[in-house]
Amino acid sequence: MKALILVGGYGTRLRPLTLTVPKPLVEFCNKPILLHQVEALVKLGIKISLSHEKEPLGTAGPLALARELLTDNEEPFFVLNSDVICDFPFDDMLRFHQQQGREGTIVVTKVEEPSKYGVVVYEGDTGRIHRFVEKPQVFVSNKINAGMYIFSPAMLRRIQLRPTSIEKEIFPVMAEEGHLYAMELQGFWMDIGQPKDFLTGMCMYLQSVRQQAPERLRSGPGFLGNVLVDPTAVIGENCTIGPNVTIGAGVVLEDGVRVKRCTVLKGAHIRSHSWLESCIVGWSSSVGQWVRMENVTVLGEDVIVNDELYINGANVLPHKSIADSVPEPRIIM
Amino acid sequence: MLKAVILIGGPQKGTRFRPLSFEVPKPLFPVAGVPMLQHHIEACSKLPNMKEILLIGFYQPNEEINRFLSCAQQDFKISIRYLQEYAALGTGGGIYHFRDQILSGSPEAFFVMNADVCSEFPLPEMLDFQKEHGDAYSFVILGTTANRKQSLNYGCIVENEQTDEVLHYVEKPSTFVSDIINCGIYLFTPEIFQHIGTVFQKNQQDMLLYYDEGEEQSNGWHRAEVIRLEQDIFTALAGQGKLYVYKTDRFWSQIKSAGSAIYASRLYLNQYHTTHPERLATNREGGPKTRGNVYIHPTANIDPTAVLGPNVSIGTGVTIGAGVRVRESIILHGATLQDHSCVLNSIVGWGSTIGKWARVEGTPSDPNPNDPYAKIDSETLFRDGKLTPSITILGCNVNIPSEVIILNSIVLPHKDLNRSFKNQIIL
């Protein structure tokens, strides 16, 4: 069986991180985003193909481009949006798809604010999809497209090799013809394509690690809740880390640091007595002493924050030095 | 022989110093570790002929004032008395009312100074200047240079550059008059009371002319006895050959708002290098790391990993935990700063507590350091409907929980906060 992971975008919503690293390689909970999906696929014995779009082909075009790779046998193939994190239900998807015997299955998930996404209206008992509404203005349903599909090779005839939106152009037709079914996802789900959601997704993922493999998490004095720490990280005295923190490889946290609900990427250095909540600290960045950072502050790669500053919701581009406090959210170029 | 009179005002004055002035009369508020007034008293007591210091104000006698007086008398070995006005009589009315006390013992001259100024107090120089200018009875105002825009906030003095005589005096003009401003420190001779007396008589006559007998005269401003030195006396004396200005370029600042107390602390702490080096903390084994000028009361308990300064004053019995950072702030008696907290540009009130990793931060309102004549602004509290960012003030017994930020806010006494606040007055 094959899987096609769509990694094609510019990753603009995850800037400034994606200004130096392509989005699929940005580490989510200490593992590149792409690797989370790839590892889950490999468990099923799936071979992974690469397909390079020379120009952006949208969300369906890439499938046409990879037509030969995907149709060398009659087996169904997976298509995944690379920004998605969840407990990947690939064997459930396969079973469901084979059972209903149609051309396509979309995984759906329940969310609190469906209008941010593509909403799916389907029959509860069979899963047959009636309608597909992208970012609805009024409430239609609270189930949304979770960005994971499984298709039979026959559906590829529907897609031409040009920029095409699978949600707008392909799915509605398939739904009309009764060839699109929805499988509801159990468990957590998040689109981690922007910093706020990246952190929310991190909390969900760490909670799932707590349930399935708690030995991976760090515990003991100074650690609260779910905390993931790379073995090469160095943590000073009198720190309080967590809940919901990920510390990457080679990170140094000096004495008296308090970190909550943050991702600290590889090689970053947080100096003593600083306080961080809901932040993403980019690779090799340095945060000074007695700094307070909060409210989804994102530091790009190699950012320096001077001592004693207050950084509230700043979005800081790579290689920048911050010498003044940022009391209200803004972008720092 | 000499005397000095310090005008200390009363509770209705100094409202810009709230909420700090709720706990302690403003003249006793500690600046660079000692009560504001003590700097005046120390400067006066250094003069060899100084025989007595009189404090005039309309505070009710209270424990703090009494305690301060008895300590000061012991420390400086000089008679210090508090004369309480029965009502706010103005900067001239008070000294006029107590003229007999001031003149008892026949001093040749006496200083009059406002309590809410911070100064190097060039008193010997003013005495020498007085002997060299005018006749034996002339009066001297201490003046300094301000920038043109800010001069409008002060008393403006036009001087004859050759003779240093005051030609013209206007208090807070609306258009530019002069960049020499009144520092609120004067040297008078007993003859001043004749001039004040004349104004007093005139006021009384005016009262009779313009008010019916039966009409209530409870409004303080209409009392005959209320006389303001600046508007009523100096303006009239200017150009009469009696009033002179001694200009200084040494440090000087008003202390009207809490923010200016921090600035004044910086000026006095800097002066301690020459006058009281023992009051400046040094980096020593087992003590906190200090940067710049820091005053630490001996009873304070400070973790060696704390970093204090520049411009920090730590009061009696203060406890400072591990990894705490304090900069440009005044920490008052009995306050506690828990581990890893950070206090910048703030005044932390008596007995207050700041939780772990909390951040208490204000915005300094310092004068422009590029302009040698710039003075500290007395900003209004609100501008365009919003609270002007300024020093954060925690009143007495305020509790700040761990990990929050209190930014540009004023917290009234005895308040327990439960979350972060920014740009607010918290009642």
Side-chain angles (χ1 to χ4, degrees):
Chain A
M1 271 192 74
K2 305 271 178 34
L4 186 69
I5 306 181
L6 301 172
V7 302
Y10 289 106
T12 58
R13 290 177 306 153
L14 208 49
R15 287 175 174 166
L17 299 174
T18 47
L19 290 174
T20 44
V21 168
K23 189 171 64 171
L25 300 184
V26 171
E27 295 97 317
F28 176 80
C29 299
N30 288 348
K31 198 188 298 188
I33 292 175
L34 190 56
L35 201 56
H36 285 268
Q37 297 184 342
V38 164
E39 282 181 354
L41 288 167
V42 160
K43 280 206 195 104
L44 249 68
I46 293 205
K47 293 204 177 88
I48 295 144
S49 316
L50 282 173
S51 177
H52 181 209
E53 299 158 68
K54 296 255 181 319
E55 43 156 4
L57 291 173
T59 42
L63 276 68
L65 187 63
R67 196 191 307 273
E68 262 105 67
L69 293 167
L70 296 170
T71 51
D72 66 357
N73 62 35
E74 290 300 310
E75 288 179 315
F77 59 93
F78 291 97
V79 176
L80 310 174
N81 180 331
S82 67
D83 285 351
V84 163
I85 198 77
C86 63
D87 228 341
F88 298 105
F90 297 136
D91 32 21
D92 289 342
M93 282 168 80
L94 181 58
R95 206 171 309 126
F96 181 94
H97 181 73
Q98 285 168 336
Q99 203 173 27
Q100 46 90 343
R102 297 287 202 268
E103 281 181 15
T105 297
I106 302 182
V107 175
V108 299
T109 183
K110 183 167 154 194
V111 294
E112 282 180 3
E113 291 180 54
S115 68
K116 286 163 42 177
Y117 308 95
V119 161
V120 184
V121 181
Y122 63 99
E123 264 165 41
D125 35 1
T126 59
R128 184 181 147 166
I129 291 179
H130 289 165
R131 268 187 311 140
F132 202 64
V133 187
E134 187 69 13
K135 295 188 180 53
Q137 304 276 357
V138 296
F139 184 86
V140 169
S141 151
N142 59 8
K143 305 290 191 305
I144 59 144
N145 174 0
M148 295 180 287
Y149 324 125
I150 178 168
F151 296 126
S152 304
M155 77 69 89
L156 283 171
R157 73 180 190 285
R158 301 176 183 271
I159 309 176
Q160 295 175 339
L161 182 55
R162 59 174 176 81
T164 314
S165 162
I166 206 172
E167 300 88 357
K168 293 197 176 101
E169 298 176 60
I170 311 297
F171 285 170
V173 177
M174 287 174 73
E176 187 127 354
E177 296 176 13
H179 267 289
L180 202 55
Y181 277 68
M183 184 191 100
E184 193 174 332
L185 177 69
Q186 307 302 317
F188 74 96
W189 178 91
M190 201 70 220
D191 171 350
I192 56 173
Q194 50 189 4
K196 181 159 136 338
D197 297 335
F198 185 100
L199 290 173
T200 307
M202 174 192 71
C203 297
M204 292 177 173
Y205 177 83
L206 289 177
Q207 180 58 20
S208 146
V209 171
R210 167 71 61 192
Q211 282 154 4
Q212 296 177 18
E215 66 284 359
R216 285 177 62 196
L217 299 175
R218 186 79 172 256
S219 55
F223 293 95
L224 302 176
N226 303 331
V227 178
L228 190 63
V229 183
D230 186 281
T232 59
V234 175
I235 300 186
E237 313 256 304
N238 301 315
C239 291
T240 302
I241 314 292
N244 295 317
V245 173
T246 301
I247 308 282
V251 163
V252 175
L253 260 49
E254 290 187 3
D255 295 351
V257 164
R258 176 91 183 85
V259 181
K260 291 199 278 203
R261 205 172 180 276
C262 291
T263 286
V264 183
L265 294 171
K266 176 169 161 186
H269 194 130
I270 318 272
R271 298 198 184 276
S272 51
H273 315 297
S274 285
W275 185 93
L276 279 63
E277 180 176 39
S278 290
C279 299
I280 303 176
V281 180
W283 310 268
S284 307
S285 284
S286 174
V287 175
Q289 295 181 292
W290 290 288
V291 168
R292 181 183 174 98
M293 280 188 5
E294 58 182 352
N295 196 17
V296 196
T297 284
V298 184
L299 306 185
E301 179 175 4
D302 181 40
V303 165
I304 299 179
V305 178
N306 285 2
D307 297 341
E308 300 167 29
L309 300 184
Y310 171 50
I311 312 291
N312 174 20
N315 200 319
V316 187
L317 267 58
H319 311 293
K320 189 94 186 110
S321 253
I322 310 292
D324 295 305
S325 285
V326 182
E328 290 302 316
R330 64 185 180 95
I331 298 171
I332 311 224
M333 292 220 259
Chain B
M1 73 88 147
L2 290 172
K3 289 199 189 182
V5 176
I6 308 179
L7 305 175
I8 68 170
Q12 291 95 326
K13 294 280 166 200
T15 57
R16 273 176 284 179
F17 215 69
R18 293 175 172 171
L20 299 169
S21 47
F22 288 146
E23 301 309 317
V24 102
K26 181 173 145 188
L28 297 184
F29 185 82
V31 176
V34 305
M36 202 183 288
L37 271 184
Q38 190 169 316
H39 298 279
H40 299 59
I41 293 177
E42 183 173 321
C44 292
S45 66
K46 282 192 188 141
L47 293 170
N49 295 336
M50 181 64 64
K51 281 294 172 284
E52 184 173 60
I53 301 178
L54 299 167
L55 309 182
I56 296 181
F58 50 98
Y59 287 98
Q60 297 291 358
N62 62 38
E63 209 189 293
E64 278 135 343
I65 296 184
N66 294 340
R67 199 167 0 151
F68 171 75
L69 288 176
S70 57
C71 286
Q73 295 206 87
Q74 281 186 338
D75 290 341
F76 297 101
K77 312 265 185 294
I78 188 171
S79 162
I80 309 179
R81 289 191 295 138
Y82 173 49
L83 303 174
Q84 185 192 354
E85 296 165 271
Y86 58 92
L89 298 178
T91 45
I95 59 173
Y96 185 70
H97 181 75
F98 290 112
R99 59 195 179 283
D100 294 335
Q101 306 261 12
I102 296 172
L103 294 179
S104 81
S106 306
E108 293 125 34
F110 60 99
F111 288 97
V112 173
M113 33 184 107
N114 288 341
D116 59 0
V117 296
C118 152
S119 172
E120 202 240 3
F121 297 110
L123 307 181
E125 291 89 331
M126 285 172 79
L127 284 168
D128 290 339
F129 176 88
Q130 189 209 30
K131 293 188 176 63
E132 293 157 13
H133 289 75
D135 57 24
Y137 310 104
S138 27
F139 316 126
V140 180
I141 303 181
L142 182 67
T144 192
T145 313
N147 70 32
R148 288 179 66 106
K149 187 155 161 279
Q150 289 178 326
S151 69
L152 304 182
N153 300 323
Y154 299 91
C156 297
I157 301 171
V158 178
E159 60 153 2
N160 176 321
E161 303 216 357
Q162 277 81 47
T163 63
D164 294 317
E165 192 202 331
V166 173
L167 298 175
H168 189 61
Y169 182 92
V170 180
E171 183 69 15
K172 295 188 181 59
S174 48
T175 52
F176 177 75
V177 168
S178 166
D179 58 5
I180 311 289
I181 59 166
N182 175 2
C183 292
I185 296 170
Y186 320 120
L187 178 55
F188 292 143
T189 56
E191 212 198 58
I192 191 77
F193 292 122
Q194 287 170 26
H195 297 282
I196 304 181
T198 310
V199 173
F200 177 63
Q201 301 299 340
K202 180 168 181 307
N203 284 355
Q204 287 212 305
Q205 290 180 347
D206 286 349
M207 308 254 21
L208 291 171
L209 276 176
Y210 295 119
Y211 288 94
D212 292 335
E213 274 174 30
E215 197 171 307
E216 269 296 310
Q217 289 169 25
S218 55
N219 182 340
W221 283 113
H222 293 292
R223 286 180 186 277
E225 305 92 321
V226 173
I227 300 166
R228 299 155 300 172
L229 276 174
E230 301 80 11
Q231 291 91 328
D232 301 327
I233 308 294
F234 295 158
T235 309
L237 280 179
Q240 312 285 323
K242 301 226 66 74
L243 193 55
Y244 290 81
V245 58
Y246 171 69
K247 288 194 321 236
T248 180
D249 53 9
R250 309 278 180 82
F251 73 86
W252 178 87
S253 177
Q254 272 189 332
I255 312 179
K256 294 289 185 198
S257 63
S260 49
I262 296 186
Y263 179 64
S265 276
R266 187 184 318 152
L267 297 173
Y268 280 139
L269 283 174
N270 200 37
Q271 191 192 31
Y272 284 169
H273 284 289
T274 39
T275 55
H276 282 284
E278 76 287 358
R279 285 188 190 160
L280 292 174
T282 51
N283 280 314
R284 52 172 188 84
E285 195 67 36
K289 184 143 183 298
T290 60
R291 297 183 189 166
N293 299 328
V294 177
Y295 168 81
I296 305 177
H297 194 273
T299 59
N301 188 352
I302 312 199
D303 190 283
T305 57
V307 178
L308 309 180
N311 187 17
V312 167
S313 307
I314 309 286
T316 64
V318 164
T319 305
I320 297 191
V324 169
R325 178 83 184 92
V326 183
R327 193 183 83 202
E328 297 285 337
S329 296
I330 298 176
I331 313 294
L332 295 168
H333 154 96
T336 300
L337 274 51
Q338 293 181 352
D339 296 352
H340 318 296
S341 54
C342 186
V343 177
L344 310 175
N345 300 305
S346 300
I347 299 182
V348 176
W350 306 262
S352 288
T353 305
I354 299 187
K356 290 193 188 191
W357 281 292
R359 183 180 179 100
V360 175
E361 181 178 4
T363 301
S365 47
D366 289 354
N368 179 0
N370 294 322
D371 178 354
Y373 301 130
K375 305 283 174 272
I376 197 158
D377 272 329
S378 355
E379 280 281 349
T380 51
L381 206 49
F382 287 90
R383 191 177 35 195
D384 300 327
K386 289 209 183 117
L387 198 57
T388 319
S390 64
I391 301 292
T392 281
I393 307 171
L394 308 186
C396 96
N397 271 115
V398 166
N399 286 324
I400 308 291
S402 311
E403 303 188 33
V404 300
I405 177 168
I406 308 297
L407 178 66
N408 298 337
S409 292
I410 301 174
V411 186
L412 264 61
H414 306 288
K415 190 84 188 143
D416 277 352
L417 299 186
N418 56 13
R419 61 175 177 87
S420 294
F421 285 92
K422 297 185 201 168
N423 305 302
Q424 291 194 343
I425 301 176
I426 299 138
L427 293 175

